[in-house]
Coordinates of all heavy atoms in Angstrom, one line a residue:
M1 N 0.9 -1.2 0.0 CA 0.0 0.0 0.0 C 0.9 1.3 0.0 O 1.9 1.3 0.7 CB -0.9 0.0 1.2 CG -1.7 1.3 1.3 SD -2.9 1.2 2.7 CE -4.0 0.0 2.2
F2 N 0.5 2.2 -0.8 CA 1.4 3.4 -0.9 C 1.1 4.3 0.3 O 0.0 4.6 0.7 CB 1.0 4.2 -2.2 CG 1.8 5.4 -2.4 CD1 3.1 5.4 -2.7 CD2 1.2 6.7 -2.1 CE1 3.8 6.5 -2.9 CE2 2.0 7.8 -2.3 CZ 3.3 7.8 -2.6
D3 N 2.2 4.7 0.9 CA 2.2 5.6 2.1 C 2.8 6.9 1.7 O 4.0 7.0 1.5 CB 2.9 5.0 3.3 CG 2.9 5.8 4.5 OD1 2.3 6.9 4.4 OD2 3.4 5.4 5.5
P4 N 2.0 8.0 1.5 CA 2.5 9.3 1.0 C 3.5 9.9 2.1 O 4.4 10.6 1.7 CB 1.3 10.2 0.9 CG 0.2 9.5 1.5 CD 0.5 8.1 1.7
A5 N 3.4 9.5 3.3 CA 4.4 10.0 4.3 C 5.7 9.3 4.2 O 6.7 9.8 4.7 CB 3.8 9.8 5.7
D6 N 5.7 8.1 3.5 CA 7.0 7.4 3.4 C 7.1 6.7 2.0 O 6.9 5.4 1.9 CB 7.1 6.3 4.5 CG 8.5 5.7 4.5 OD1 9.4 6.1 3.8 OD2 8.7 4.8 5.4
P7 N 7.2 7.5 1.0 CA 7.1 6.9 -0.4 C 8.2 5.9 -0.6 O 8.0 4.9 -1.4 CB 7.3 8.2 -1.3 CG 7.8 9.3 -0.5 CD 7.4 8.9 1.0
E8 N 9.3 6.0 0.0 CA 10.4 5.0 -0.2 C 10.0 3.6 0.3 O 10.3 2.6 -0.3 CB 11.7 5.4 0.5 CG 12.4 6.6 -0.3 CD 12.8 6.4 -1.7 OE1 13.3 5.3 -1.9 OE2 12.5 7.3 -2.5
A9 N 9.3 3.6 1.4 CA 8.9 2.3 2.0 C 7.9 1.6 1.0 O 7.9 0.3 1.0 CB 8.2 2.6 3.3
S10 N 7.1 2.4 0.3 CA 6.2 1.8 -0.7 C 7.0 1.0 -1.8 O 6.4 0.2 -2.5 CB 5.3 2.9 -1.3 OG 4.7 3.4 -0.2
L11 N 8.2 1.5 -2.0 CA 9.0 0.8 -3.1 C 9.9 -0.3 -2.6 O 10.6 -0.9 -3.4 CB 9.9 1.9 -3.8 CG 9.1 3.1 -4.4 CD1 10.1 4.1 -4.9 CD2 8.2 2.6 -5.5
A12 N 9.7 -0.6 -1.3 CA 10.6 -1.7 -0.7 C 10.3 -3.0 -1.4 O 9.2 -3.3 -1.8 CB 10.3 -1.8 0.8
P13 N 11.3 -3.8 -1.5 CA 11.0 -5.1 -2.2 C 10.1 -6.0 -1.3 O 10.0 -5.8 -0.1 CB 12.4 -5.8 -2.2 CG 13.3 -5.0 -1.3 CD 12.7 -3.7 -1.2
S14 N 9.5 -7.0 -2.0 CA 8.6 -7.8 -1.3 C 9.3 -8.6 -0.2 O 10.4 -9.0 -0.4 CB 8.0 -8.9 -2.4 OG 7.4 -9.9 -1.7
P15 N 8.6 -8.8 0.9 CA 9.2 -9.5 2.0 C 9.2 -11.0 1.7 O 9.8 -11.8 2.5 CB 8.4 -9.2 3.2 CG 7.1 -8.9 2.6 CD 7.4 -8.3 1.4
R16 N 8.7 -11.5 0.6 CA 8.7 -12.9 0.3 C 10.1 -13.4 0.1 O 10.9 -12.7 -0.5 CB 7.9 -13.1 -1.0 CG 6.4 -12.9 -0.8 CD 5.7 -13.0 -2.1 NE 4.3 -13.0 -1.9 CZ 3.5 -13.9 -2.5 NH1 4.0 -14.9 -3.2 NH2 2.2 -13.9 -2.3
P17 N 10.3 -14.7 0.4 CA 11.7 -15.2 0.1 C 11.8 -15.5 -1.3 O 10.8 -15.5 -2.1 CB 11.7 -16.5 0.9 CG 10.2 -16.9 1.0 CD 9.4 -15.6 1.1
T18 N 13.0 -15.7 -1.8 CA 13.2 -16.1 -3.2 C 12.8 -17.6 -3.3 O 12.4 -18.3 -2.4 CB 14.7 -16.1 -3.6 OG1 15.4 -17.1 -2.8 CG2 15.3 -14.7 -3.4
V19 N 12.6 -18.0 -4.6 CA 12.1 -19.3 -4.9 C 13.0 -20.4 -4.2 O 12.6 -21.3 -3.6 CB 12.0 -19.6 -6.4 CG1 11.9 -21.0 -6.7 CG2 10.9 -18.7 -7.0
R20 N 14.4 -20.2 -4.4 CA 15.3 -21.1 -3.8 C 15.2 -21.1 -2.3 O 15.3 -22.2 -1.7 CB 16.7 -20.8 -4.2 CG 17.0 -21.2 -5.6 CD 18.5 -21.5 -5.8 NE 18.7 -22.1 -7.1 CZ 18.7 -23.4 -7.2 NH1 18.6 -24.2 -6.2 NH2 18.9 -23.9 -8.4
Q21 N 15.1 -20.0 -1.7 CA 14.9 -20.0 -0.2 C 13.7 -20.7 0.2 O 13.7 -21.4 1.2 CB 14.9 -18.5 0.3 CG 16.2 -17.8 0.2 CD 16.1 -16.2 0.4 OE1 15.0 -15.7 0.2 NE2 17.2 -15.7 0.8
A22 N 12.6 -20.4 -0.4 CA 11.3 -21.1 0.0 C 11.4 -22.6 -0.2 O 10.9 -23.4 0.6 CB 10.2 -20.5 -0.8
A23 N 12.0 -23.0 -1.4 CA 12.1 -24.4 -1.7 C 12.9 -25.2 -0.7 O 12.6 -26.4 -0.4 CB 12.6 -24.6 -3.1
K24 N 14.0 -24.6 -0.1 CA 14.9 -25.3 0.8 C 14.1 -25.8 2.0 O 14.4 -26.9 2.6 CB 16.0 -24.4 1.2 CG 17.1 -24.3 0.2 CD 18.2 -23.5 0.8 CE 19.3 -23.1 -0.2 NZ 20.2 -22.2 0.3
Q25 N 13.1 -24.9 2.5 CA 12.5 -25.2 3.8 C 11.2 -26.0 3.5 O 10.5 -26.3 4.5 CB 12.1 -23.9 4.4 CG 13.3 -23.0 4.6 CD 14.4 -23.6 5.5 OE1 14.0 -24.3 6.4 NE2 15.6 -23.4 5.2
L26 N 10.8 -26.3 2.3 CA 9.4 -26.8 2.1 C 9.4 -28.3 2.2 O 10.1 -29.1 1.4 CB 9.1 -26.4 0.6 CG 7.6 -26.4 0.3 CD1 6.8 -25.4 1.2 CD2 7.4 -25.9 -1.2
P27 N 8.5 -28.9 3.1 CA 8.3 -30.3 3.2 C 7.5 -30.8 2.0 O 6.9 -30.0 1.3 CB 7.7 -30.5 4.5 CG 6.9 -29.3 4.7 CD 7.8 -28.1 4.1
C28 N 7.4 -32.1 1.9 CA 6.5 -32.7 0.9 C 5.0 -32.3 1.2 O 4.6 -32.2 2.3 CB 6.6 -34.2 0.9 SG 8.1 -34.8 0.2
A29 N 4.2 -32.2 0.1 CA 2.8 -31.8 0.1 C 2.6 -30.5 0.9 O 1.8 -30.3 1.7 CB 2.0 -32.9 0.8
A30 N 3.4 -29.5 0.5 CA 3.2 -28.1 1.0 C 3.5 -27.1 -0.1 O 4.0 -27.4 -1.1 CB 4.3 -28.0 2.2
V31 N 3.0 -25.9 0.2 CA 3.1 -24.8 -0.7 C 3.6 -23.5 0.2 O 3.2 -23.4 1.3 CB 1.8 -24.5 -1.4 CG1 0.6 -24.3 -0.4 CG2 1.9 -23.3 -2.4
A32 N 4.3 -22.7 -0.5 CA 4.8 -21.5 0.2 C 4.9 -20.3 -0.8 O 5.1 -20.5 -2.0 CB 6.2 -21.7 0.7
A33 N 4.6 -19.1 -0.3 CA 4.8 -17.9 -1.1 C 6.3 -17.6 -1.3 O 7.1 -17.8 -0.4 CB 4.1 -16.7 -0.3
A34 N 6.5 -17.1 -2.5 CA 7.9 -16.7 -2.8 C 7.8 -15.6 -3.9 O 6.7 -15.2 -4.3 CB 8.6 -17.9 -3.4
R35 N 9.0 -15.1 -4.3 CA 9.1 -14.2 -5.4 C 10.0 -14.6 -6.4 O 11.1 -15.3 -6.1 CB 9.4 -12.8 -4.9 CG 10.8 -12.7 -4.3 CD 11.0 -11.3 -3.8 NE 12.0 -11.4 -2.6 CZ 13.4 -11.4 -2.8 NH1 13.9 -11.3 -4.0 NH2 14.2 -11.4 -1.8
E36 N 9.9 -14.3 -7.7 CA 10.7 -14.5 -8.7 C 10.9 -13.3 -9.4 O 10.0 -12.8 -10.2 CB 10.2 -15.6 -9.6 CG 11.1 -16.1 -10.7 CD 10.5 -17.3 -11.4 OE1 9.5 -17.1 -12.1 OE2 11.1 -18.4 -11.4
G37 N 12.0 -12.5 -9.1 CA 12.1 -11.2 -9.6 C 11.1 -10.3 -8.9 O 11.0 -10.3 -7.7
K38 N 10.3 -9.6 -9.6 CA 9.3 -8.8 -9.0 C 7.9 -9.5 -9.0 O 6.9 -9.0 -8.6 CB 9.1 -7.5 -9.8 CG 10.3 -6.6 -9.7 CD 10.1 -5.3 -10.4 CE 11.3 -4.4 -10.3 NZ 11.3 -3.2 -11.1
R39 N 7.9 -10.8 -9.5 CA 6.6 -11.5 -9.6 C 6.3 -12.4 -8.4 O 7.3 -13.0 -7.9 CB 6.8 -12.4 -10.8 CG 5.5 -12.7 -11.5 CD 5.8 -13.6 -12.7 NE 5.8 -15.0 -12.3 CZ 6.3 -16.0 -13.0 NH1 6.9 -15.7 -14.1 NH2 6.3 -17.2 -12.6
D40 N 5.1 -12.3 -7.9 CA 4.7 -13.2 -6.7 C 4.4 -14.6 -7.3 O 3.6 -14.7 -8.3 CB 3.5 -12.6 -6.1 CG 3.9 -11.4 -5.2 OD1 5.0 -11.2 -4.9 OD2 2.8 -10.7 -4.8
V41 N 5.0 -15.6 -6.7 CA 4.8 -17.0 -7.1 C 4.5 -17.8 -5.9 O 4.7 -17.4 -4.8 CB 6.1 -17.5 -7.9 CG1 6.2 -16.8 -9.2 CG2 7.3 -17.5 -7.0
A42 N 4.1 -19.0 -6.2 CA 3.9 -20.1 -5.2 C 4.9 -21.2 -5.5 O 4.9 -21.6 -6.6 CB 2.5 -20.5 -5.1
V43 N 5.6 -21.6 -4.5 CA 6.5 -22.8 -4.7 C 5.8 -24.0 -4.0 O 5.3 -23.9 -2.9 CB 7.8 -22.6 -4.0 CG1 8.7 -23.8 -4.1 CG2 8.6 -21.4 -4.5
V44 N 5.7 -25.1 -4.8 CA 4.9 -26.2 -4.4 C 5.9 -27.4 -4.3 O 6.6 -27.7 -5.3 CB 3.8 -26.5 -5.3 CG1 2.9 -27.6 -4.8 CG2 2.9 -25.2 -5.5
R45 N 5.8 -28.2 -3.3 CA 6.4 -29.6 -3.3 C 5.3 -30.5 -3.2 O 4.6 -30.6 -2.2 CB 7.4 -29.7 -2.1 CG 8.3 -30.9 -2.3 CD 9.3 -31.2 -1.2 NE 10.3 -30.3 -1.0 CZ 11.5 -30.3 -1.7 NH1 11.7 -31.2 -2.6 NH2 12.4 -29.4 -1.4
S46 N 5.2 -31.4 -4.2 CA 4.1 -32.3 -4.3 C 4.4 -33.4 -3.3 O 5.4 -33.5 -2.7 CB 4.0 -32.9 -5.7 OG 5.1 -33.7 -5.9
A47 N 3.4 -34.3 -3.2 CA 3.5 -35.5 -2.2 C 4.7 -36.3 -2.6 O 5.3 -36.9 -1.8 CB 2.2 -36.2 -2.2
S48 N 5.0 -36.5 -3.9 CA 6.1 -37.2 -4.4 C 7.4 -36.6 -4.2 O 8.5 -37.1 -4.5 CB 5.9 -37.7 -5.8 OG 6.1 -36.6 -6.7
G49 N 7.4 -35.3 -3.8 CA 8.7 -34.5 -3.6 C 9.1 -33.6 -4.7 O 10.1 -32.9 -4.6
Q50 N 8.4 -33.7 -5.8 CA 8.8 -32.8 -7.0 C 8.5 -31.3 -6.6 O 7.3 -31.1 -6.2 CB 8.0 -33.3 -8.2 CG 8.3 -32.4 -9.4 CD 9.8 -32.4 -9.8 OE1 10.4 -33.5 -10.0 NE2 10.3 -31.3 -10.0
L51 N 9.3 -30.5 -7.0 CA 9.1 -29.1 -6.8 C 8.6 -28.4 -8.1 O 8.9 -28.7 -9.2 CB 10.4 -28.4 -6.5 CG 10.9 -28.5 -5.1 CD1 12.4 -28.1 -5.0 CD2 10.1 -27.7 -4.1
Y52 N 7.6 -27.5 -7.9 CA 7.0 -26.7 -9.0 C 7.0 -25.2 -8.6 O 6.8 -24.9 -7.3 CB 5.6 -27.1 -9.3 CG 5.5 -28.5 -9.7 CD1 5.4 -29.6 -8.7 CD2 5.5 -28.9 -11.1 CE1 5.3 -30.9 -9.2 CE2 5.5 -30.2 -11.5 CZ 5.3 -31.2 -10.5 OH 5.3 -32.5 -10.9
V53 N 7.0 -24.4 -9.6 CA 6.8 -22.9 -9.3 C 5.6 -22.6 -10.2 O 5.5 -22.9 -11.3 CB 8.0 -22.1 -9.7 CG1 7.7 -20.6 -9.6 CG2 9.2 -22.5 -9.0
V54 N 4.6 -21.9 -9.5 CA 3.3 -21.5 -10.2 C 3.1 -20.0 -9.9 O 3.5 -19.5 -8.8 CB 2.1 -22.4 -9.9 CG1 2.4 -23.8 -10.2 CG2 1.8 -22.1 -8.4
D55 N 2.3 -19.3 -10.8 CA 1.9 -17.9 -10.5 C 1.1 -18.0 -9.2 O 0.2 -18.9 -9.0 CB 1.2 -17.3 -11.6 CG 2.1 -16.8 -12.7 OD1 3.3 -16.5 -12.4 OD2 1.7 -16.8 -13.9
D56 N 1.2 -17.0 -8.4 CA 0.4 -17.0 -7.2 C -0.9 -16.3 -7.3 O -1.2 -15.3 -6.5 CB 1.2 -16.3 -6.0 CG 0.6 -16.5 -4.7 OD1 -0.3 -17.3 -4.6 OD2 1.0 -15.8 -3.7
I57 N -1.6 -16.6 -8.3 CA -3.0 -16.1 -8.5 C -3.9 -17.2 -9.2 O -3.5 -17.8 -10.1 CB -3.0 -14.8 -9.3 CG1 -4.3 -14.2 -9.4 CG2 -2.4 -15.0 -10.8 CD1 -4.3 -12.7 -9.8
C58 N -5.0 -17.4 -8.6 CA -5.9 -18.4 -9.1 C -6.7 -17.9 -10.3 O -7.3 -16.8 -10.2 CB -6.9 -18.8 -7.9 SG -8.1 -20.0 -8.5
P59 N -6.8 -18.6 -11.4 CA -7.6 -18.1 -12.5 C -9.1 -18.0 -12.3 O -9.8 -17.5 -13.1 CB -7.1 -19.0 -13.7 CG -6.7 -20.3 -13.0 CD -6.2 -19.9 -11.6
H60 N -9.6 -18.6 -11.2 CA -10.9 -18.6 -10.9 C -11.4 -17.2 -10.5 O -12.2 -16.5 -11.2 CB -11.4 -19.6 -9.9 CG -12.8 -19.5 -9.5 ND1 -13.3 -19.4 -8.2 CD2 -13.9 -19.3 -10.3 CE1 -14.5 -19.3 -8.1 NE2 -15.0 -19.2 -9.4
D61 N -10.8 -16.8 -9.4 CA -11.3 -15.4 -8.8 C -10.1 -14.7 -8.1 O -10.4 -14.0 -7.2 CB -12.4 -15.6 -7.9 CG -13.2 -14.4 -7.6 OD1 -13.2 -13.5 -8.4 OD2 -13.8 -14.3 -6.5
G62 N -8.9 -15.0 -8.5 CA -7.8 -14.2 -8.0 C -7.3 -14.6 -6.6 O -6.5 -13.8 -6.1
G63 N -7.7 -15.7 -6.1 CA -7.1 -16.2 -4.8 C -5.7 -16.4 -4.9 O -5.1 -16.7 -5.9
R64 N -5.0 -16.3 -3.8 CA -3.6 -16.6 -3.6 C -3.3 -18.1 -3.5 O -3.8 -18.7 -2.6 CB -2.9 -15.9 -2.5 CG -2.9 -14.4 -2.7 CD -1.8 -13.8 -1.8 NE -1.7 -12.3 -2.1 CZ -0.7 -11.9 -3.0 NH1 0.1 -12.8 -3.5 NH2 -0.6 -10.7 -3.2
L65 N -2.7 -18.7 -4.6 CA -2.5 -20.1 -4.5 C -1.5 -20.5 -3.4 O -1.5 -21.7 -3.0 CB -2.0 -20.6 -5.9 CG -3.1 -20.4 -7.0 CD1 -2.5 -20.8 -8.4 CD2 -4.3 -21.4 -6.7
A66 N -0.7 -19.6 -3.0 CA 0.3 -19.9 -1.9 C -0.5 -20.2 -0.6 O 0.1 -20.7 0.3 CB 1.3 -18.8 -1.7
D67 N -1.8 -19.7 -0.5 CA -2.5 -20.0 0.7 C -3.3 -21.3 0.5 O -4.1 -21.7 1.4 CB -3.6 -18.9 0.9 CG -2.9 -17.6 1.2 OD1 -1.8 -17.6 1.7 OD2 -3.6 -16.6 1.0
G68 N -3.1 -22.0 -0.6 CA -3.7 -23.3 -0.9 C -3.1 -24.5 -0.1 O -2.3 -24.3 0.7
Y69 N -3.5 -25.7 -0.6 CA -2.9 -26.9 -0.1 C -2.6 -27.9 -1.1 O -3.2 -27.7 -2.3 CB -3.8 -27.4 1.1 CG -5.2 -27.7 0.8 CD1 -5.6 -29.0 0.4 CD2 -6.1 -26.6 0.7 CE1 -6.9 -29.2 0.1 CE2 -7.5 -26.9 0.4 CZ -7.9 -28.2 0.1 OH -9.1 -28.4 -0.2
V70 N -1.9 -28.9 -0.9 CA -1.4 -29.9 -1.8 C -2.1 -31.2 -1.5 O -2.1 -31.7 -0.3 CB 0.1 -30.0 -1.8 CG1 0.6 -31.1 -2.8 CG2 0.7 -28.7 -2.1
E71 N -2.6 -31.9 -2.5 CA -3.0 -33.2 -2.4 C -2.4 -34.0 -3.5 O -2.8 -33.8 -4.7 CB -4.6 -33.3 -2.5 CG -5.3 -33.0 -1.2 CD -6.7 -33.2 -1.2 OE1 -7.3 -33.7 -2.2 OE2 -7.4 -32.8 -0.2
G72 N -1.5 -34.9 -3.2 CA -0.9 -35.7 -4.3 C -0.1 -34.8 -5.1 O 0.9 -34.1 -4.7
E73 N -0.4 -34.8 -6.4 CA 0.3 -34.0 -7.4 C -0.6 -32.8 -7.9 O -0.5 -32.3 -9.0 CB 0.7 -34.8 -8.7 CG 1.5 -36.0 -8.3 CD 2.8 -35.7 -7.5 OE1 3.6 -34.9 -8.1 OE2 3.0 -36.2 -6.4
R74 N -1.6 -32.4 -7.0 CA -2.4 -31.3 -7.3 C -2.3 -30.2 -6.2 O -2.1 -30.4 -5.0 CB -3.9 -31.8 -7.3 CG -4.2 -32.8 -8.4 CD -5.5 -33.4 -8.2 NE -5.5 -34.3 -7.1 CZ -6.5 -34.3 -6.2 NH1 -7.6 -33.7 -6.4 NH2 -6.4 -35.0 -5.1
L75 N -2.5 -29.0 -6.7 CA -2.6 -27.8 -5.8 C -4.0 -27.4 -5.8 O -4.7 -27.2 -6.8 CB -1.7 -26.7 -6.4 CG -1.7 -25.3 -5.6 CD1 -1.3 -25.5 -4.2 CD2 -0.9 -24.4 -6.4
I76 N -4.5 -27.2 -4.6 CA -5.9 -26.8 -4.4 C -6.0 -25.4 -3.9 O -5.4 -25.1 -2.8 CB -6.7 -27.8 -3.4 CG1 -6.8 -29.1 -4.1 CG2 -8.1 -27.3 -3.2 CD1 -6.2 -30.2 -3.5
C77 N -6.8 -24.5 -4.5 CA -6.9 -23.1 -4.0 C -7.9 -23.1 -2.8 O -8.9 -23.8 -2.8 CB -7.6 -22.3 -5.1 SG -7.8 -20.6 -4.6
S78 N -7.5 -22.4 -1.8 CA -8.2 -22.5 -0.6 C -9.5 -21.6 -0.6 O -10.4 -21.8 0.3 CB -7.3 -21.9 0.6 OG -6.9 -20.6 0.4
R79 N -9.7 -20.8 -1.6 CA -10.9 -20.0 -1.6 C -12.2 -20.7 -2.0 O -13.1 -20.7 -1.3 CB -10.7 -18.8 -2.5 CG -9.8 -17.7 -1.9 CD -9.8 -16.4 -2.6 NE -11.1 -15.8 -2.6 CZ -11.5 -14.9 -3.5 NH1 -10.7 -14.5 -4.5 NH2 -12.7 -14.3 -3.4
H80 N -12.1 -21.5 -3.1 CA -13.3 -22.2 -3.6 C -12.9 -23.7 -4.0 O -13.7 -24.3 -4.7 CB -13.9 -21.5 -4.7 CG -14.2 -20.1 -4.5 ND1 -13.4 -19.1 -5.0 CD2 -15.1 -19.4 -3.8 CE1 -13.8 -17.9 -4.6 NE2 -14.9 -18.0 -3.9
N81 N -11.7 -24.1 -3.6 CA -11.3 -25.5 -3.8 C -11.1 -25.9 -5.2 O -11.3 -27.1 -5.5 CB -12.2 -26.4 -3.0 CG -12.1 -26.2 -1.5 OD1 -11.0 -25.9 -1.0 ND2 -13.2 -26.3 -0.9
W82 N -10.9 -25.0 -6.2 CA -10.5 -25.4 -7.5 C -9.2 -26.1 -7.4 O -8.3 -25.6 -6.6 CB -10.4 -24.3 -8.4 CG -11.7 -23.8 -9.0 CD1 -12.9 -23.8 -8.4 CD2 -11.9 -23.2 -10.2 NE1 -13.9 -23.3 -9.2 CE2 -13.3 -22.9 -10.4 CE3 -11.1 -22.8 -11.3 CZ2 -13.8 -22.3 -11.5 CZ3 -11.6 -22.2 -12.4 CH2 -13.0 -22.0 -12.6
E83 N -9.0 -27.2 -8.1 CA -7.7 -27.9 -8.1 C -7.0 -27.8 -9.4 O -7.6 -27.8 -10.5 CB -7.9 -29.3 -7.6 CG -8.9 -30.1 -8.4 CD -9.1 -31.4 -7.9 OE1 -9.5 -31.6 -6.7 OE2 -8.9 -32.4 -8.6
F84 N -5.7 -27.9 -9.3 CA -4.9 -27.7 -10.6 C -3.8 -28.8 -10.6 O -3.2 -29.0 -9.5 CB -4.2 -26.3 -10.6 CG -5.1 -25.2 -10.6 CD1 -5.6 -24.6 -9.4 CD2 -5.7 -24.8 -11.8 CE1 -6.5 -23.6 -9.4 CE2 -6.7 -23.8 -11.8 CZ -7.1 -23.2 -10.6
D85 N -3.7 -29.5 -11.7 CA -2.7 -30.5 -11.9 C -1.3 -29.7 -12.0 O -1.1 -28.9 -12.8 CB -2.9 -31.3 -13.2 CG -1.9 -32.3 -13.4 OD1 -0.8 -32.0 -14.0 OD2 -2.1 -33.5 -13.0
L86 N -0.4 -30.2 -11.1 CA 0.9 -29.5 -11.1 C 1.8 -29.7 -12.4 O 2.6 -28.8 -12.7 CB 1.7 -29.9 -9.8 CG 1.1 -29.2 -8.6 CD1 1.6 -30.0 -7.3 CD2 1.4 -27.8 -8.5
V87 N 1.5 -30.8 -13.0 CA 2.3 -31.1 -14.2 C 1.8 -30.2 -15.4 O 2.6 -29.6 -16.1 CB 2.4 -32.6 -14.6 CG1 3.1 -32.8 -15.9 CG2 3.0 -33.4 -13.4
S88 N 0.5 -30.3 -15.6 CA -0.1 -29.6 -16.8 C -0.6 -28.3 -16.5 O -0.8 -27.5 -17.4 CB -1.2 -30.5 -17.4 OG -2.3 -30.6 -16.4
G89 N -0.9 -28.0 -15.2 CA -1.6 -26.7 -14.8 C -3.1 -26.7 -15.1 O -3.8 -25.7 -14.7
V90 N -3.6 -27.8 -15.6 CA -5.1 -27.8 -16.0 C -5.9 -28.0 -14.7 O -5.6 -28.8 -13.8 CB -5.3 -28.9 -17.0 CG1 -6.9 -29.2 -17.2 CG2 -4.7 -28.6 -18.3
C91 N -7.0 -27.3 -14.7 CA -8.1 -27.5 -13.7 C -9.1 -28.6 -14.2 O -9.8 -28.3 -15.2 CB -8.8 -26.2 -13.4 SG -10.2 -26.4 -12.2
P92 N -9.2 -29.8 -13.6 CA -10.1 -30.8 -14.3 C -11.5 -30.4 -14.3 O -12.2 -30.8 -15.2 CB -9.9 -32.0 -13.3 CG -8.7 -31.7 -12.5 CD -8.5 -30.2 -12.5
H93 N -12.0 -29.5 -13.5 CA -13.4 -29.1 -13.4 C -13.6 -28.0 -14.5 O -14.8 -27.7 -14.8 CB -13.9 -28.7 -12.1 CG -13.5 -29.7 -11.0 ND1 -14.2 -31.0 -11.1 CD2 -12.7 -29.7 -10.0 CE1 -13.7 -31.7 -10.1 NE2 -12.9 -31.0 -9.4
A94 N -12.7 -27.3 -14.9 CA -12.8 -26.2 -15.9 C -11.5 -26.2 -16.7 O -10.6 -25.3 -16.6 CB -12.9 -24.9 -15.2
P95 N -11.4 -27.1 -17.7 CA -10.1 -27.3 -18.4 C -9.6 -26.1 -19.2 O -8.5 -26.0 -19.5 CB -10.4 -28.5 -19.4 CG -11.6 -29.2 -18.8 CD -12.4 -28.1 -18.0
Q96 N -10.6 -25.2 -19.5 CA -10.1 -23.9 -20.1 C -9.3 -23.0 -19.2 O -8.7 -22.1 -19.7 CB -11.3 -23.2 -20.8 CG -12.2 -22.5 -19.9 CD -13.2 -23.4 -19.0 OE1 -13.1 -24.7 -19.1 NE2 -14.1 -22.8 -18.4
R97 N -9.4 -23.3 -17.9 CA -8.7 -22.5 -16.9 C -7.5 -23.3 -16.5 O -7.6 -24.4 -16.1 CB -9.6 -22.2 -15.7 CG -10.8 -21.5 -16.0 CD -10.6 -20.0 -16.3 NE -11.8 -19.3 -16.5 CZ -12.5 -18.6 -15.5 NH1 -12.0 -18.6 -14.3 NH2 -13.6 -18.0 -15.8
R98 N -6.3 -22.7 -16.6 CA -5.1 -23.4 -16.2 C -4.2 -22.4 -15.6 O -4.3 -21.2 -15.8 CB -4.5 -24.2 -17.3 CG -4.0 -23.3 -18.5 CD -3.3 -24.0 -19.5 NE -3.9 -25.2 -20.0 CZ -3.3 -26.3 -20.4 NH1 -2.0 -26.3 -20.5 NH2 -3.9 -27.4 -20.8
I99 N -3.2 -22.9 -14.9 CA -2.1 -22.0 -14.3 C -0.8 -22.4 -15.0 O -0.6 -23.5 -15.5 CB -2.0 -22.3 -12.8 CG1 -1.7 -23.8 -12.4 CG2 -3.2 -21.8 -12.0 CD1 -1.4 -24.0 -11.0
A100 N 0.0 -21.4 -15.1 CA 1.4 -21.6 -15.6 C 2.1 -22.4 -14.5 O 2.1 -22.0 -13.3 CB 2.1 -20.3 -15.9
T101 N 2.8 -23.4 -14.9 CA 3.5 -24.3 -13.9 C 4.9 -24.7 -14.5 O 5.0 -24.9 -15.8 CB 2.7 -25.5 -13.5 OG1 3.5 -26.3 -12.6 CG2 2.3 -26.4 -14.6
A102 N 5.9 -24.7 -13.7 CA 7.2 -25.1 -14.2 C 7.8 -26.0 -13.1 O 7.8 -25.7 -11.9 CB 8.1 -23.9 -14.5
R103 N 8.4 -27.1 -13.5 CA 9.2 -27.9 -12.6 C 10.5 -27.2 -12.2 O 11.1 -26.5 -13.0 CB 9.6 -29.3 -13.3 CG 8.4 -30.2 -13.3 CD 8.8 -31.5 -14.0 NE 9.6 -32.2 -13.1 CZ 9.7 -33.6 -13.1 NH1 9.0 -34.3 -13.9 NH2 10.5 -34.2 -12.2
L104 N 10.8 -27.4 -11.0 CA 12.1 -26.8 -10.4 C 13.0 -27.9 -10.1 O 12.7 -28.8 -9.3 CB 11.7 -25.9 -9.2 CG 12.8 -25.2 -8.5 CD1 13.4 -24.2 -9.4 CD2 12.3 -24.5 -7.2
A105 N 14.1 -27.9 -10.7 CA 15.2 -28.9 -10.5 C 16.0 -28.5 -9.2 O 16.8 -27.5 -9.3 CB 16.1 -29.1 -11.6
M106 N 15.8 -29.1 -8.1 CA 16.5 -28.8 -6.9 C 16.4 -30.1 -6.0 O 15.3 -30.7 -5.8 CB 15.8 -27.6 -6.2 CG 16.6 -27.0 -5.2 SD 15.9 -25.4 -4.7 CE 16.5 -25.3 -3.1
P107 N 17.5 -30.5 -5.5 CA 17.5 -31.7 -4.7 C 16.7 -31.5 -3.4 O 16.6 -30.4 -2.9 CB 19.0 -32.0 -4.4 CG 19.6 -30.7 -4.6 CD 18.8 -29.9 -5.6
R108 N 16.2 -32.6 -2.8 CA 15.5 -32.6 -1.5 C 16.5 -32.2 -0.5 O 17.7 -32.6 -0.7 CB 14.9 -33.9 -1.2 CG 13.5 -34.0 -1.8 CD 12.9 -35.2 -1.3 NE 12.0 -35.8 -2.3 CZ 11.3 -36.8 -2.1 NH1 11.3 -37.4 -1.0 NH2 10.5 -37.3 -3.1
R109 N 16.1 -31.6 0.6 CA 17.0 -31.4 1.6 C 17.3 -32.6 2.5 O 16.7 -33.5 2.4 CB 16.6 -30.2 2.5 CG 15.1 -30.3 2.9 CD 14.7 -29.1 3.7 NE 13.4 -29.5 4.1 CZ 12.9 -29.6 5.4 NH1 13.8 -29.5 6.3 NH2 11.7 -29.9 5.6
Ligands
FES201 S1 -10.3 -18.0 -6.3 FE1 -9.3 -19.9 -6.4 S2 -11.0 -21.4 -6.5 FE2 -11.9 -19.4 -6.4

């Protein structure tokens, strides 16, 4: 939020960790907020341990996917429970809606 009394603070970088920082601490079947440059993303470790990076916005109604949860190889948005396949990004209930997803090559801790 812009604070006219402290315009520099409004330009401060996001307090989110980097993707690598978030991924290092992430257990299986969990999701965390992160940043990739200036972009807000969600880092997801699936139940099988594979890491993914997805945009932190749900295509249904703008919910933060980093607030969601993981079941198997799917990420579920906590607002209305739409689910997204982490490999394809497709929502099985609304295949025309999908999220951008990318596998992240990083060893388990
Ligand atoms: S905003 Fe994500 S399911 Fe509705």
